[in-house]
Amino acid sequence: RDPAAAALCRELLGAVSKARAEAVERLGDEVRARLGDGRAPGLSPADAGAAVTGVCAELLRQLESQGAKRAEKFERLLLQYLLKVPNEVFGEALPVRPVDLIAPLASLEAESEARAEGEPTPCVGDDAGRAESAPAPAQADEEEKEEVAAAFGSLEAAVRRGRALREEAAELQERLLSLSAVHH
């Protein structure tokens, strides 16, 4: 296990955790500010603030719990695939040149876009997008191909889930604004 890759992974996961905590803190501050304006009849500002703090702590705990499994998958993807350093000494030729990856990555992107638009998708292994001057990359064994395909599938699913969560967050924000407008 590469210590630099592991450190980078820890930093990325730490940044996500910090951003999550800061977002919940900002939400709590906003709610406390609105409740401090006398919008919580029957509750003193101190009681309302304590209630908001408790709810925010529970929200953060739930978000961290939900994110733990995703963090494990992300760490595995980073360390086993994206940041994996070849065993060869640096400077020795790798079996694949980066230029050889452009056409396959372009076909993956096209397939992903077509799938998102509901169109029939071309086979990822097709050579349709490959430049004629670029030689074919070295053949990996079937197990590695399946692992890479699974990783790309997981990445694509994670991106779709992220978009769905952003949309859900926007809807929840609209509901919060509507509810706060009703309580005026």
Side-chain angles (χ1 to χ4, degrees), residues 43-158:
L43 280 178
S44 71
D47 289 341
V52 169
T53 300
V55 169
C56 286
E58 178 61 21
L59 173 63
L60 182 58
R61 187 196 64 73
Q62 288 179 2
L63 290 173
E64 288 172 344
S65 174
Q66 290 172 356
K69 188 173 181 181
R70 280 183 238 128
E72 289 174 13
K73 287 181 181 179
F74 178 74
E75 181 177 9
R76 188 175 40 238
L77 175 69
L78 273 180
L79 296 178
Q80 292 180 358
Y81 298 100
L82 299 177
L83 299 178
K84 188 174 184 180
V85 177
N87 291 331
E88 296 88 25
V89 176
F90 290 106
E92 288 187 10
L94 294 173
V96 176
R97 296 180 311 155
V99 72
D100 295 336
L101 298 175
I102 293 172
L105 289 174
S107 67
L108 281 173
E109 184 177 348
E111 179 183 357
S112 177
E113 289 173 1
R115 197 177 311 144
E117 295 171 3
E119 298 174 5
T121 58
C123 180
V124 173
D126 287 351
D127 288 342
R130 186 182 307 276
E132 291 193 23
S133 62
Q139 297 294 322
D141 36 47
E142 196 62 36
E143 185 176 314
E144 288 178 351
K145 287 181 183 179
E146 290 173 8
E147 288 177 3
V148 170
F152 276 117
S154 296
L155 181 60
E156 184 179 351

